[in-house]
């Protein structure tokens, strides 16, 4: 009996140990399962987050593709869609359709969307050159205007041809030494030191300008003097380029205000850039120079075509018969005949006299294509008021032995009388050109360029720049947000005379096919946002999307109220 008892006790102890092992193993398995479940849930959330980020990115890229497709359209087609400057069609655009079969083509509130935004035009309607913009402290903190609207953004594209093209500006400087420096010094917040630093970076270092406002850049280089504040100048140039808006949400955030204050007050001995910036909680306004990127650009140009998308006719085409056929397809016969006659015989000396008005009683002639061209147009404006005389041989020899060849003045349908100029000049400039290139580069679009940009065009001084802006925004013409078809309105509106228009014509235009836009992909205030800016280059079709820069790693940039609300 004693032996049986001992065996029985040992079995009880072994059973208890097995139960403990089972409990421990169950707990470990449960912990492992919980850890696996937690890991899988976290991975699922990361996957969903990554999926949302991809959706936001694709929505923003869809916005850029839409911008490129619109930039490829003709000027007439863009206008029919409401234009590209400020158009509600670019606001809160659905990037995907519903998956519900019943409402497949109807976007839902949970759809991914995009908005195409740009900053409000700085000084586009200002008469003063170099005007600065003021941003209230409430706008700094909230990013909206007093009415709760979109604040400092608009839904549209930014016209790159309404800015000074830097490579073209340097080309002008090679022909007119000192022009680039004088133009850059007119930019808000510019100083001689900053401009010289930038020009040296662009390679403009071997030119000495006159003592009146001359550059000290070459002197510093020749004296081998070290520029101790070179790094500071570079930082200030970056600050001026963005106007203090480092995250590109078109408003000054409190941190940006403090950084800008430190940056622009750090320059010693220069009162021009030491503006006092108020803190974000102050009741005063915060004023900073407008961003230089609103006035100068590295990409600019437009297709050399009519507003309906047809290639412009080159008036200097070598084959006169082919030229005549092209002209007769779009112009009256007497217009085409006069162009051929002017190519063959050129304008007479009287064409250069001021105030010459072609009489309506002169004759018109049919072209003789056997005579080659001897004259090349510098501009279609050469047609206005030109006098052309052609030799006429008298079949009967003169009795006194003199030559029987006389000249006959043919009728010019392009009268210089202003009342008649309004009837044809816009049509002539739209259909014809003297530039054989498929697109132009660097011409300034006078339909949107602010006065500070216009004053940098050769031949346009600040007074004329102000007059152009005033005339452009007057009630008698179209507004500055609706580009005019040609530059003819400068002459038709009395802003310039014919001689002045001929002087500035090689530098200006009234169209653009290169834009910058920010595309924002979003869904709601909790989902990720993808923000990127890009240059839409439609000088050639298909349009190219260049220079993409992303900004959402800084912050969301815009509130849902800004992206959903109508533009101001």
């Amino acid at each position: 009996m004693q032996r049986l008892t001992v065996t029985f006790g040992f079995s009880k102890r072994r059973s208890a140990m097995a139960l403990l092992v089972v409990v421990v193993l169950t707990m470990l398995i449960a912990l492992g399962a919980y850890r696996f479940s937690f890991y899988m849930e976290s991975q699922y959330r990361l996957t969903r987050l990554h999926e949302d980020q991809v959706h936001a990115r694709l929505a923003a890229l869809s916005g850029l593709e839409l911008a490129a497709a619109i930039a490829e359209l003709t000027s007439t087609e863009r206008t029919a869609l409401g234009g590209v400057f400020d158009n509600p069609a670019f606001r809160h655009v659905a990037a995907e359709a519903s998956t519900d079969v019943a409402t497949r083509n109807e976007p839902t509130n949970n759809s991914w969307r995009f908005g195409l935004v740009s900053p409000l035009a700085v000084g586009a309607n200002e008469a003063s050159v170099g005007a600065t913009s003021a941003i209230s402290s409430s706008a700094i903190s909230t990013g909206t205007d007093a009415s709760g609207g979109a604040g400092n953004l608009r839904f549209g594209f930014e016209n790159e041809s309404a800015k000074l093209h830097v490579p073209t500006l340097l080309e002008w400087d090679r022909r007119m030494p000192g022009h680039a420096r004088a133009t850059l010094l007119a930019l808000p917040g510019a100083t001689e030191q900053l401009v010289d630093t930038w020009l040296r970076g662009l390679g403009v270092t071997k030119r000495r300008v006159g003592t009146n406002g001359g550059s000290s850049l070459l002197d510093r280089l020749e004296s081998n003097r070290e520029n101790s504040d070179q790094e500071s100048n570079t930082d200030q140039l970056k600050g001026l380029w963005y106007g203090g808006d480092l995250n590109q949400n078109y408003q000054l955030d409190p941190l940006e205000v403090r950084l800008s204050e430190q940056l622009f007050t750090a320059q010693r001995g220069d009162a021009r850039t030491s503006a006092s910036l108020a803190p974000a909680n102050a009741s005063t306004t915060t004023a900073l120079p407008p961003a230089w990127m609103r006035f100068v650009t590295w990409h600019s140009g437009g297709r050399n075509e009519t507003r309906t998308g047809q290639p412009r006719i080159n008036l200097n085409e070598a084959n006169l018969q082919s030229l005549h056929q092209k002209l007769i397809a779009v112009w009256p016969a007497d217009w085409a005949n006069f162009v051929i006659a002017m190519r063959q015989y050129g304008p007479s000396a009287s064409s250069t006299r001021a105030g010459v008005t072609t009489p309506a009683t002169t004759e018109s002639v049919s072209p003789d294509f056997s005579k080659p061209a001897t004259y090349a147009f510098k501009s279609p404006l050469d047609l206005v008021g030109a006098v052309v005389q052609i030799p006429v041989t008298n079949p009967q020899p003169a009795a006194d032995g003199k030559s029987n060849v006389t000249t006959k003045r043919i009728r010019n349908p392009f009268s210089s009388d202003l009342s008649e100029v309004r009837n044809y000049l816009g049509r002539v400039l739209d259909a014809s050109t003297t530039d054989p290139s498929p697109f132009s580069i660097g011409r300034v679009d006078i339909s949107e360029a602010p006065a500070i940009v216009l004053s940098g065009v050769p031949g346009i001084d600040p007074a004329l720049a102000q007059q152009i802006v005033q005339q452009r925004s007057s009630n008698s013409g179209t507004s500055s947000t609706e580009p005019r078809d040609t530059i003819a309105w400068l002459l038709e509106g009395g802003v310039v005379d014919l001689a002045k228009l001929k002087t500035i014509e090689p530098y200006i235009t009234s169209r653009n096919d290169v834009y910058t836009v920010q595309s924002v992909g979003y869904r709601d205030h909790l989902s990720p946002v993808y923000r990127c800016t890009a240059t839409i280059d439609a000088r050639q079709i298909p349009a190219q999307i260049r220079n993409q820069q992303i900004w959402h790693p800084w912050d969301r940039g815009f509130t849902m109220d800004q992206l959903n609300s109508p533009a101001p």
Side-chain angles (χ1 to χ4, degrees):
M1 295 292 295
Q2 184 177 4
R3 182 177 180 180
L4 293 174
T5 302
V6 172
T7 303
F8 179 74
F10 178 77
S11 300
K12 287 184 62 178
R13 289 196 298 272
R14 188 170 64 179
S15 299
M17 181 63 68
L19 179 62
L20 179 61
V21 171
V22 169
V23 171
V24 171
L25 290 177
T26 302
M27 181 181 64
L28 292 177
I29 293 173
L31 289 175
Y34 174 77
R35 180 178 179 182
F36 177 78
S37 176
F38 178 80
Y39 176 79
M40 294 303 297
E41 183 179 1
S42 64
Q43 291 299 311
Y44 172 76
R45 291 180 178 178
L46 288 175
T47 302
R48 289 298 302 270
L49 177 61
H50 179 70
E51 181 183 359
D52 287 347
Q53 290 174 337
V54 171
H55 276 291
R57 175 177 175 271
L58 293 178
L61 295 182
S62 297
L64 294 182
E65 292 295 336
L66 174 63
I70 292 179
E72 291 178 358
L73 299 177
T74 66
S75 298
T76 302
E77 291 171 334
R78 293 178 202 163
T79 303
L81 292 176
V84 299
F85 181 83
D86 195 355
N87 193 334
F90 304 139
R91 176 180 65 87
H92 203 50
V93 183
E96 60 181 356
S98 172
T99 57
D100 187 355
V101 176
T103 59
R104 185 173 298 276
N105 295 324
E106 299 178 8
T108 64
N109 293 331
N110 200 36
S111 298
W112 286 95
R113 298 177 181 271
F114 64 83
L116 299 178
V117 300
S118 296
L120 293 179
V122 178
N125 297 322
E126 301 275 350
S128 59
V129 176
T132 59
S133 62
I135 302 176
S136 64
S137 58
S138 62
I140 293 174
S141 59
T142 65
T144 59
D145 57 13
S147 61
N152 298 304
L153 63 87
R154 57 182 170 84
F155 297 95
F157 305 168
E158 189 174 3
N159 186 344
E160 290 301 292
S161 291
K163 307 174 184 179
L164 291 167
H165 186 229
V166 174
T168 301
L169 182 63
L170 297 180
E171 177 62 29
W172 294 345
D173 189 76
R174 280 188 282 271
R175 287 181 285 169
M176 297 167 285
H179 179 81
R181 186 175 188 273
T183 300
L184 294 176
L185 280 174
L187 295 178
T191 64
E192 292 186 1
Q193 202 170 39
L194 291 176
V195 170
D196 286 346
T197 299
W198 194 19
L199 288 176
R200 180 167 64 178
L202 295 175
V204 185
T205 58
K206 296 181 179 181
R207 181 174 297 109
R208 187 185 301 275
V209 190
T211 56
N212 296 330
S215 173
S216 59
L217 174 60
L218 188 62
D219 296 334
R220 292 205 315 269
L221 294 177
E222 290 179 346
S223 63
N224 206 17
R225 185 173 62 191
E226 181 181 2
N227 187 6
S228 60
D229 57 351
Q230 176 70 27
E231 184 176 351
S232 175
N233 288 342
T234 303
D235 291 339
Q236 289 180 13
L237 282 171
K238 293 179 180 178
L240 286 171
W241 181 261
Y242 291 107
D245 182 19
L246 302 179
N247 63 348
Q248 287 298 284
N249 63 345
Y250 312 139
Q251 64 189 40
L252 289 181
D253 303 315
L255 177 60
E256 292 172 336
V257 172
R258 289 191 287 270
L259 290 175
S260 298
E261 183 178 25
Q262 295 176 4
L263 179 64
F264 290 110
T265 58
Q267 188 171 359
R268 299 181 297 274
D270 189 353
R272 294 183 62 182
T273 58
S274 59
S276 177
L277 302 180
N281 57 358
S283 59
T284 59
T285 60
T286 300
L288 274 181
W292 281 15
M293 63 187 301
R294 307 291 170 236
F295 304 106
V296 292
T297 181
W298 292 93
H299 304 276
S300 172
R303 298 192 294 269
N304 197 4
E305 64 182 25
T306 68
R307 56 179 175 268
T308 58
Q310 300 299 319
R312 286 195 175 107
I313 301 172
N314 181 13
L315 297 180
N316 292 325
E317 182 178 340
N319 190 330
L320 295 183
Q321 190 167 4
S322 173
L323 173 61
H324 186 266
Q325 292 175 352
K326 294 177 181 177
L327 292 175
I328 207 73
V330 295
W331 286 355
D334 57 339
W335 291 19
N337 294 343
F338 185 82
V339 171
I340 300 302
M342 193 165 176
R343 286 290 311 278
Q344 292 174 327
Y345 301 100
S348 65
S350 59
S351 298
T352 59
R353 294 203 301 264
V356 173
T357 301
T358 306
T361 57
T362 52
E363 302 179 22
S364 60
V365 295
S366 298
D368 177 12
F369 297 111
S370 63
K371 179 175 175 55
T374 60
Y375 174 78
F377 288 96
K378 296 180 179 179
S379 166
L381 294 171
D382 293 342
L383 291 168
V384 181
V387 175
V388 175
Q389 295 180 342
I390 63 175
V392 177
T393 303
N394 191 339
Q396 299 296 330
D400 55 0
K402 294 183 179 180
S403 174
N404 60 343
V405 178
T406 60
T407 59
K408 179 175 66 175
R409 178 179 174 183
I410 65 174
R411 188 182 72 86
N412 184 356
F414 306 104
S415 171
S416 60
D417 184 80
L418 189 57
S419 61
E420 296 187 31
V421 166
R422 294 189 177 97
N423 296 327
Y424 71 82
L425 187 57
R427 186 177 173 185
V428 168
L429 292 177
D430 180 56
S432 63
T433 182
T434 56
D435 184 5
S437 302
F439 56 85
S440 61
I441 300 176
R443 292 193 178 214
V444 174
D445 186 356
I446 61 172
S447 61
E448 291 186 23
I452 194 172
V453 172
L454 293 173
S455 62
V457 176
I460 299 181
D461 56 22
L464 179 56
Q466 295 177 21
Q467 188 177 357
I468 291 174
V469 174
Q470 290 172 347
Q471 177 70 17
R472 186 179 65 196
S473 58
S474 64
N475 295 330
S476 59
T478 55
S479 67
S480 62
T481 61
E482 300 174 354
R484 301 171 188 249
D485 294 330
T486 69
I487 64 172
W489 62 272
L490 291 177
L491 182 63
E492 298 168 354
V495 180
V496 297
D497 57 18
L498 179 60
K500 188 66 173 180
L501 187 59
K502 286 183 177 181
T503 301
I504 64 177
E505 186 272 337
Y507 311 108
I508 61 177
T509 184
S510 61
R511 67 166 298 149
N512 170 59
D513 292 301
V514 181
Y515 299 94
T516 293
V517 67
Q518 180 170 174
S519 183
V520 185
Y522 62 95
R523 181 172 60 186
D524 50 44
H525 67 283
L526 296 177
S527 301
V529 167
Y530 190 95
R531 293 196 298 126
C532 63
T533 55
T535 299
I536 311 299
D537 186 353
R539 290 175 297 180
Q540 292 180 311
I541 297 177
Q544 301 295 317
I545 301 175
R546 308 180 187 276
N547 306 319
Q548 292 190 39
Q549 292 180 287
I550 60 174
W551 302 101
H552 58 274
W554 288 74
D555 53 29
R556 296 179 66 89
F558 308 104
T559 65
M560 291 299 297
D561 290 337
Q562 287 178 292
L563 296 174
N564 293 340
S565 62

